Amino acid sequence: MSDGSSNTFPVWFEHPVQVEQDTFYTASAVLDGSELSYFGQEGMTEVQCGKVAFQFQCSSDSTNGTGVQGGQIPELIFYA
């Protein structure tokens, strides 16, 4: 539920998701509430973390203008 504040909260998958290299995935969230939600800006198109590199691109599934540069998902936690 969005309360309009800058507080973030974790969202966990019920089961881990194995991702494959050279494959794009879409992560999305549906927020409910009467207030505008807090959102991030100045997102990065590529992040290198050790030997793992993530590339981010805007999704055609976005219906509210969020994407790489500004959106609702501030971080991803992964295990390599």
XYZ file of all heavy atoms in Angstrom:
610
model
N 0.856 -1.182 0.000
C 0.000 0.000 0.000
C 0.893 1.233 0.000
O 1.801 1.334 0.811
C -0.897 -0.019 1.232
C -1.787 1.191 1.365
S -3.089 1.232 0.164
C -4.458 0.684 1.135
N 0.680 2.135 -0.914
C 1.449 3.372 -0.980
C 0.838 4.404 -0.044
O -0.354 4.678 -0.108
C 1.458 3.905 -2.412
O 2.046 5.178 -2.448
N 1.658 4.971 0.849
C 1.155 6.011 1.748
C 1.741 7.381 1.407
O 1.559 8.336 2.146
C 1.420 5.637 3.206
C 2.906 5.554 3.526
O 3.741 5.856 2.649
O 3.235 5.179 4.673
N 2.483 7.467 0.295
C 3.044 8.734 -0.136
C 4.369 9.083 0.516
O 5.004 10.053 0.145
N 4.823 8.298 1.492
C 6.085 8.592 2.174
C 7.264 8.030 1.376
O 7.087 7.313 0.402
C 6.080 7.984 3.585
O 6.241 6.580 3.512
N 8.470 8.355 1.820
C 9.675 7.847 1.166
C 10.132 6.515 1.767
O 11.226 6.048 1.466
C 10.805 8.876 1.267
O 11.114 9.121 2.633
N 9.315 5.902 2.612
C 9.670 4.609 3.205
C 9.608 3.514 2.148
O 8.650 3.432 1.382
C 8.713 4.262 4.344
C 8.797 5.244 5.487
O 9.860 5.787 5.751
N 7.684 5.496 6.140
N 10.640 2.694 2.100
C 10.646 1.548 1.193
C 10.347 0.288 1.993
O 10.410 0.288 3.225
C 12.008 1.395 0.481
O 13.027 1.184 1.459
C 12.333 2.634 -0.348
N 10.026 -0.792 1.303
C 9.736 -2.047 1.979
C 10.160 -3.192 1.076
O 10.087 -3.087 -0.143
C 8.250 -2.155 2.344
C 7.319 -1.914 1.181
C 6.907 -2.964 0.368
C 6.867 -0.648 0.902
C 6.056 -2.745 -0.702
C 6.008 -0.416 -0.163
C 5.607 -1.467 -0.969
N 10.628 -4.284 1.674
C 11.067 -5.424 0.857
C 9.880 -6.213 0.312
O 8.832 -6.296 0.953
C 11.880 -6.278 1.824
C 11.318 -5.960 3.170
C 10.864 -4.511 3.098
N 10.059 -6.737 -0.875
C 9.093 -7.646 -1.486
C 9.877 -8.897 -1.859
O 10.852 -8.823 -2.604
C 8.439 -7.027 -2.743
C 7.512 -8.021 -3.413
C 7.700 -5.748 -2.381
N 9.485 -10.024 -1.323
C 10.217 -11.266 -1.539
C 9.411 -12.203 -2.422
O 8.191 -12.290 -2.293
C 10.486 -11.963 -0.203
C 11.312 -11.129 0.728
C 10.842 -10.295 1.709
C 12.723 -11.024 0.760
N 11.881 -9.685 2.351
C 13.053 -10.111 1.791
C 13.752 -11.599 0.027
C 14.364 -9.779 2.096
C 15.054 -11.255 0.334
C 15.350 -10.362 1.357
N 10.112 -12.904 -3.296
C 9.464 -13.971 -4.053
C 9.229 -15.153 -3.116
O 10.000 -15.391 -2.191
C 10.358 -14.444 -5.209
C 10.506 -13.428 -6.307
C 11.718 -12.802 -6.526
C 9.437 -13.120 -7.127
C 11.864 -11.882 -7.547
C 9.568 -12.193 -8.155
C 10.790 -11.579 -8.356
N 8.182 -15.898 -3.369
C 7.904 -17.078 -2.562
C 9.017 -18.111 -2.725
O 9.389 -18.791 -1.785
C 6.561 -17.677 -2.975
C 6.061 -18.739 -2.007
C 4.631 -19.151 -2.307
O 3.801 -18.268 -2.618
O 4.357 -20.352 -2.215
N 9.546 -18.223 -3.941
C 10.653 -19.136 -4.244
C 11.703 -18.370 -5.041
O 11.353 -17.476 -5.818
C 10.163 -20.329 -5.075
C 9.064 -21.106 -4.424
N 9.273 -21.936 -3.348
C 7.736 -21.144 -4.668
C 8.128 -22.463 -2.977
N 7.172 -22.000 -3.763
N 12.979 -18.710 -4.860
C 14.022 -18.047 -5.657
C 13.778 -18.242 -7.155
O 13.206 -19.243 -7.583
C 15.313 -18.760 -5.233
C 14.992 -19.402 -3.930
C 13.531 -19.724 -3.962
N 14.211 -17.274 -7.936
C 14.067 -17.330 -9.388
C 15.452 -17.441 -9.998
O 16.322 -16.603 -9.722
C 13.364 -16.062 -9.918
C 13.291 -16.077 -11.435
C 11.980 -15.936 -9.311
N 15.669 -18.467 -10.790
C 16.956 -18.611 -11.467
C 16.910 -17.825 -12.765
O 16.009 -18.014 -13.576
C 17.256 -20.078 -11.774
C 18.605 -20.278 -12.453
C 18.986 -21.741 -12.583
O 18.660 -22.544 -11.724
N 19.668 -22.066 -13.658
N 17.859 -16.934 -12.942
C 17.911 -16.148 -14.172
C 19.071 -16.626 -15.034
O 20.103 -17.059 -14.524
C 18.023 -14.633 -13.889
C 16.793 -14.125 -13.167
C 19.262 -14.326 -13.087
N 18.871 -16.573 -16.330
C 19.871 -17.024 -17.292
C 20.529 -15.817 -17.945
O 19.892 -14.777 -18.130
C 19.204 -17.894 -18.369
C 18.461 -19.103 -17.817
C 19.365 -20.133 -17.162
O 20.557 -20.211 -17.536
O 18.884 -20.855 -16.271
N 21.791 -15.969 -18.309
C 22.495 -14.873 -18.964
C 21.914 -14.623 -20.352
O 21.299 -15.504 -20.947
C 23.985 -15.151 -19.060
C 24.386 -16.282 -19.979
C 25.891 -16.506 -19.958
O 26.559 -16.241 -18.952
N 26.426 -16.985 -21.053
N 22.084 -13.402 -20.817
C 21.612 -12.972 -22.136
C 20.100 -13.104 -22.300
O 19.604 -13.308 -23.404
C 22.338 -13.738 -23.255
C 23.834 -13.525 -23.218
O 24.257 -12.385 -22.952
O 24.583 -14.490 -23.451
N 19.365 -13.020 -21.206
C 17.907 -13.095 -21.231
C 17.360 -11.911 -20.445
O 17.830 -11.630 -19.348
C 17.419 -14.415 -20.590
O 18.021 -15.514 -21.273
C 15.909 -14.535 -20.655
N 16.374 -11.215 -21.003
C 15.751 -10.105 -20.289
C 14.516 -10.589 -19.552
O 13.755 -11.408 -20.067
C 15.375 -8.976 -21.256
C 16.555 -8.113 -21.632
C 17.231 -8.318 -22.812
C 16.985 -7.105 -20.782
C 18.322 -7.535 -23.158
C 18.068 -6.321 -21.111
C 18.739 -6.534 -22.301
N 14.321 -10.077 -18.345
C 13.171 -10.395 -17.501
C 12.479 -9.093 -17.138
O 13.091 -8.030 -17.138
C 13.626 -11.106 -16.219
C 14.309 -12.430 -16.484
C 15.667 -12.495 -16.754
C 13.588 -13.612 -16.471
C 16.292 -13.707 -17.010
C 14.205 -14.829 -16.725
C 15.559 -14.869 -16.992
O 16.171 -16.067 -17.238
N 11.215 -9.161 -16.794
C 10.472 -7.983 -16.352
C 10.100 -8.150 -14.890
O 9.498 -9.154 -14.518
C 9.186 -7.792 -17.186
O 9.540 -7.612 -18.557
C 8.395 -6.590 -16.701
N 10.490 -7.170 -14.082
C 10.077 -7.125 -12.676
C 9.051 -6.006 -12.563
O 9.250 -4.911 -13.094
C 11.272 -6.847 -11.773
N 7.940 -6.283 -11.894
C 6.908 -5.251 -11.769
C 6.279 -5.310 -10.389
O 6.366 -6.304 -9.686
C 5.840 -5.435 -12.849
O 5.155 -6.651 -12.674
N 5.648 -4.204 -10.045
C 4.931 -4.111 -8.771
C 3.640 -3.349 -9.007
O 3.596 -2.415 -9.811
C 5.786 -3.383 -7.733
N 2.601 -3.756 -8.321
C 1.327 -3.050 -8.381
C 1.103 -2.421 -7.016
O 1.046 -3.125 -6.008
C 0.161 -4.009 -8.742
C -1.159 -3.261 -8.703
C 0.397 -4.650 -10.099
N 1.022 -1.091 -6.988
C 0.816 -0.374 -5.734
C -0.615 0.139 -5.685
O -1.180 0.539 -6.707
C 1.780 0.812 -5.630
C 3.268 0.456 -5.664
C 4.100 1.728 -5.594
C 3.626 -0.476 -4.523
N -1.177 0.150 -4.487
C -2.544 0.610 -4.293
C -2.528 1.714 -3.244
O -1.785 1.639 -2.277
C -3.414 -0.563 -3.830
C -4.880 -0.197 -3.743
O -5.295 0.760 -4.408
O -5.602 -0.879 -2.996
N -3.299 2.720 -3.444
C -3.378 3.799 -2.473
C -3.831 5.080 -3.144
O -3.741 5.219 -4.363
N -4.282 6.033 -2.352
C -4.786 7.281 -2.912
C -3.696 8.338 -3.043
O -3.901 9.362 -3.688
C -5.928 7.813 -2.047
O -5.460 8.038 -0.730
N -2.535 8.118 -2.432
C -1.430 9.072 -2.489
C -0.477 8.692 -3.614
O -0.366 7.530 -3.996
C -0.650 9.053 -1.164
C -1.467 9.415 0.045
C -1.884 10.868 0.040
O -1.131 11.710 -0.495
O -2.973 11.157 0.557
N 0.221 9.706 -4.149
C 1.288 9.419 -5.093
C 2.362 8.605 -4.383
O 2.651 8.837 -3.205
C 1.920 10.713 -5.611
C 1.168 11.449 -6.702
C 1.871 12.767 -7.010
C 1.056 10.607 -7.950
N 2.952 7.669 -5.066
C 3.980 6.853 -4.435
C 5.348 7.494 -4.612
O 5.598 8.226 -5.571
C 3.979 5.439 -5.025
O 4.292 5.482 -6.398
N 6.220 7.232 -3.679
C 7.611 7.656 -3.740
C 8.268 6.880 -4.873
O 7.983 5.708 -5.079
C 8.269 7.335 -2.396
C 9.686 7.778 -2.265
C 10.010 9.123 -2.127
C 10.715 6.849 -2.255
C 11.314 9.540 -1.987
C 12.035 7.255 -2.106
C 12.319 8.596 -1.976
O 13.614 8.995 -1.841
N 9.156 7.506 -5.629
C 9.816 6.808 -6.720
C 11.253 7.274 -6.849
O 11.603 8.385 -6.456
C 9.065 7.002 -8.044
C 8.972 8.437 -8.491
C 9.919 8.970 -9.344
C 7.941 9.242 -8.047
C 9.835 10.291 -9.756
C 7.847 10.559 -8.443
C 8.800 11.090 -9.306
N 12.082 6.405 -7.385
C 13.489 6.718 -7.582
C 13.723 7.422 -8.908
O 12.898 7.361 -9.817
N 14.872 8.104 -8.993
C 15.276 8.791 -10.214
C 16.743 8.498 -10.484
O 17.451 8.017 -9.608
C 15.059 10.295 -10.073
C 13.598 10.680 -9.900
C 13.434 12.179 -9.844
O 13.918 12.889 -10.707
N 12.747 12.649 -8.820
N 17.188 8.779 -11.690
C 18.581 8.597 -12.099
C 18.989 7.131 -12.037
O 20.078 6.779 -11.571
C 19.515 9.466 -11.253
C 19.231 10.946 -11.390
C 20.131 11.817 -10.539
O 21.219 11.362 -10.138
O 19.734 12.961 -10.277
N 18.122 6.249 -12.520
C 18.434 4.829 -12.568
C 19.582 4.529 -13.523
O 19.904 5.330 -14.402
N 20.193 3.399 -13.342
C 21.357 3.007 -14.146
C 20.968 1.944 -15.169
O 20.198 1.038 -14.856
C 22.453 2.482 -13.220
C 22.904 3.514 -12.203
S 23.991 2.830 -10.943
C 25.426 2.447 -11.917
N 21.507 2.047 -16.367
C 21.201 1.063 -17.409
C 22.051 -0.184 -17.284
O 21.682 -1.239 -17.794
C 21.386 1.651 -18.819
O 22.720 2.134 -18.936
C 20.390 2.776 -19.069
N 23.185 -0.090 -16.592
C 24.034 -1.274 -16.381
C 24.709 -1.181 -15.026
O 25.150 -0.113 -14.613
C 25.095 -1.386 -17.480
C 25.897 -2.670 -17.372
C 26.745 -2.955 -18.605
O 26.415 -2.469 -19.692
O 27.734 -3.674 -18.453
N 24.775 -2.319 -14.333
C 25.429 -2.398 -13.028
C 26.319 -3.630 -13.024
O 25.869 -4.727 -13.350
C 24.391 -2.496 -11.876
C 25.089 -2.674 -10.546
C 23.495 -1.278 -11.861
N 27.576 -3.458 -12.669
C 28.533 -4.558 -12.561
C 28.732 -4.853 -11.081
O 28.999 -3.952 -10.288
C 29.868 -4.152 -13.199
C 30.906 -5.243 -13.208
C 30.733 -6.195 -14.369
O 30.262 -5.812 -15.428
N 31.124 -7.425 -14.173
N 28.569 -6.110 -10.710
C 28.740 -6.521 -9.315
C 29.603 -7.775 -9.322
O 29.101 -8.875 -9.551
C 27.377 -6.765 -8.675
S 27.454 -6.987 -6.895
N 30.906 -7.599 -9.097
C 31.825 -8.732 -9.213
C 31.867 -9.212 -10.658
O 32.047 -8.418 -11.580
N 31.661 -10.501 -10.859
C 31.665 -11.073 -12.210
C 30.290 -11.032 -12.870
O 30.119 -11.493 -13.989
C 32.156 -12.517 -12.166
C 33.604 -12.663 -11.745
C 34.029 -14.106 -11.764
C 35.486 -14.239 -11.356
N 35.933 -15.641 -11.365
N 29.307 -10.493 -12.166
C 27.935 -10.454 -12.682
C 27.607 -9.037 -13.154
O 27.862 -8.064 -12.445
C 26.927 -10.887 -11.594
C 25.498 -10.799 -12.100
C 27.244 -12.292 -11.107
N 27.054 -8.939 -14.358
C 26.620 -7.645 -14.896
C 25.123 -7.709 -15.166
O 24.620 -8.685 -15.723
C 27.369 -7.323 -16.179
N 24.420 -6.673 -14.740
C 22.995 -6.548 -15.012
C 22.798 -5.391 -15.978
O 23.386 -4.321 -15.799
C 22.210 -6.262 -13.724
C 22.142 -7.415 -12.779
C 23.051 -7.533 -11.743
C 21.163 -8.383 -12.922
C 22.978 -8.602 -10.856
C 21.086 -9.454 -12.043
C 22.002 -9.563 -11.017
N 21.968 -5.602 -16.991
C 21.577 -4.540 -17.914
C 20.084 -4.306 -17.739
O 19.314 -5.263 -17.646
C 21.871 -4.928 -19.356
C 23.342 -5.069 -19.648
C 23.580 -5.482 -21.097
O 22.750 -6.136 -21.714
N 24.723 -5.094 -21.624
N 19.692 -3.040 -17.699
C 18.295 -2.685 -17.487
C 17.777 -1.916 -18.692
O 18.483 -1.097 -19.268
C 18.150 -1.851 -16.210
C 18.612 -2.567 -14.987
C 19.883 -2.369 -14.484
C 17.780 -3.473 -14.344
C 20.319 -3.046 -13.353
C 18.202 -4.158 -13.213
C 19.478 -3.942 -12.722
N 16.541 -2.204 -19.071
C 15.893 -1.480 -20.160
C 14.435 -1.268 -19.790
O 13.884 -1.993 -18.954
C 16.009 -2.237 -21.473
C 15.296 -3.580 -21.492
C 15.523 -4.328 -22.798
O 16.466 -4.069 -23.516
N 14.640 -5.268 -23.096
N 13.823 -0.270 -20.403
C 12.414 0.000 -20.137
C 11.562 -1.129 -20.700
O 11.893 -1.720 -21.716
C 12.003 1.329 -20.739
S 12.799 2.727 -19.928
N 10.467 -1.429 -20.022
C 9.564 -2.487 -20.447
C 8.348 -1.897 -21.150
O 7.781 -0.896 -20.705
C 9.091 -3.291 -19.231
O 8.070 -4.196 -19.606
N 7.944 -2.537 -22.221
C 6.727 -2.107 -22.914
C 5.488 -2.404 -22.064
O 4.405 -1.917 -22.354
C 6.617 -2.795 -24.271
O 6.570 -4.198 -24.107
N 5.647 -3.193 -20.990
C 4.530 -3.492 -20.087
C 4.221 -2.342 -19.133
O 3.187 -2.345 -18.466
C 4.826 -4.749 -19.264
C 4.902 -6.013 -20.103
O 4.320 -6.020 -21.213
O 5.530 -6.986 -19.661
N 5.112 -1.352 -19.033
C 4.890 -0.237 -18.114
C 3.697 0.589 -18.577
O 3.617 0.995 -19.733
C 6.134 0.654 -18.037
O 5.885 1.762 -17.198
N 2.784 0.844 -17.644
C 1.568 1.602 -17.983
C 1.541 2.978 -17.317
O 0.580 3.718 -17.485
C 0.318 0.823 -17.553
O 0.374 0.586 -16.140
C 0.206 -0.495 -18.299
N 2.583 3.312 -16.545
C 2.549 4.593 -15.832
C 3.801 5.448 -16.057
O 4.045 6.376 -15.304
C 2.337 4.358 -14.332
C 3.494 3.612 -13.706
O 4.395 3.159 -14.396
N 3.467 3.478 -12.399
N 4.596 5.113 -17.055
C 5.764 5.925 -17.374
C 7.010 5.605 -16.573
O 8.028 6.260 -16.731
N 6.952 4.622 -15.678
C 8.154 4.261 -14.937
C 9.048 3.398 -15.823
O 8.608 2.782 -16.780
C 7.832 3.503 -13.641
O 7.124 2.310 -13.966
C 7.005 4.345 -12.694
N 10.324 3.373 -15.495
C 11.276 2.600 -16.276
C 12.641 2.653 -15.635
O 12.769 2.792 -14.416
N 13.674 2.576 -16.440
C 15.045 2.555 -15.930
C 15.386 3.867 -15.223
O 15.960 3.865 -14.136
C 16.050 2.281 -17.071
C 17.483 2.389 -16.568
C 15.806 0.918 -17.673
N 15.067 5.000 -15.832
C 15.453 6.295 -15.274
C 14.683 6.653 -14.009
O 15.217 7.320 -13.128
C 15.279 7.391 -16.322
C 16.212 7.232 -17.512
C 17.681 7.223 -17.110
O 18.125 8.054 -16.324
N 18.434 6.272 -17.629
N 13.446 6.233 -13.892
C 12.649 6.544 -12.711
C 11.617 5.466 -12.493
O 10.898 5.101 -13.417
N 11.579 4.924 -11.278
C 10.638 3.845 -11.062
C 10.494 3.432 -9.614
O 10.922 4.127 -8.700
N 9.891 2.266 -9.430
C 9.475 1.794 -8.115
C 10.405 0.763 -7.487
O 10.241 0.451 -6.320
C 8.078 1.168 -8.225
C 7.020 2.100 -8.769
C 6.721 3.239 -7.821
O 6.843 3.088 -6.616
N 6.329 4.360 -8.359
N 11.331 0.197 -8.223
C 12.165 -0.895 -7.705
C 13.589 -0.371 -7.514
O 14.344 -0.248 -8.473
C 12.130 -2.114 -8.654
C 10.680 -2.575 -8.826
C 13.008 -3.243 -8.118
C 10.485 -3.660 -9.860
N 13.969 -0.048 -6.265
C 15.267 0.591 -6.029
C 16.457 -0.355 -6.004
O 17.586 0.081 -6.187
C 15.082 1.260 -4.673
C 14.080 0.401 -3.966
C 13.162 -0.108 -5.051
N 16.224 -1.627 -5.764
C 17.359 -2.555 -5.714
C 16.884 -3.987 -5.894
O 15.725 -4.301 -5.675
C 18.118 -2.443 -4.400
C 17.362 -2.942 -3.190
C 18.161 -2.810 -1.888
O 19.373 -2.542 -1.942
O 17.563 -2.964 -0.830
N 17.811 -4.813 -6.338
C 17.580 -6.253 -6.461
C 18.623 -6.975 -5.620
O 19.792 -6.569 -5.616
C 17.715 -6.707 -7.921
C 16.734 -6.114 -8.922
C 17.107 -6.554 -10.328
C 15.315 -6.535 -8.593
N 18.219 -7.980 -4.930
C 19.130 -8.805 -4.147
C 19.315 -10.117 -4.895
O 18.339 -10.742 -5.299
C 18.585 -9.060 -2.741
C 18.413 -7.729 -2.008
C 19.500 -10.003 -1.957
C 17.678 -7.841 -0.686
N 20.568 -10.522 -5.115
C 20.806 -11.747 -5.864
C 21.930 -12.543 -5.219
O 22.733 -12.019 -4.452
C 21.150 -11.433 -7.330
C 22.527 -10.861 -7.523
C 23.583 -11.676 -7.900
C 22.780 -9.515 -7.324
C 24.847 -11.163 -8.065
C 24.044 -8.986 -7.494
C 25.077 -9.811 -7.863
N 21.945 -13.827 -5.538
C 22.998 -14.733 -5.089
C 23.650 -15.314 -6.326
O 22.957 -15.738 -7.247
C 22.409 -15.876 -4.252
C 21.663 -15.394 -3.045
C 20.272 -15.226 -3.083
C 22.324 -15.104 -1.858
C 19.573 -14.776 -1.984
C 21.638 -14.650 -0.754
C 20.273 -14.485 -0.820
O 19.575 -14.037 0.266
N 24.959 -15.304 -6.362
C 25.677 -15.845 -7.532
C 26.403 -17.121 -7.141
O 26.756 -17.344 -6.026
C 26.664 -14.830 -8.062
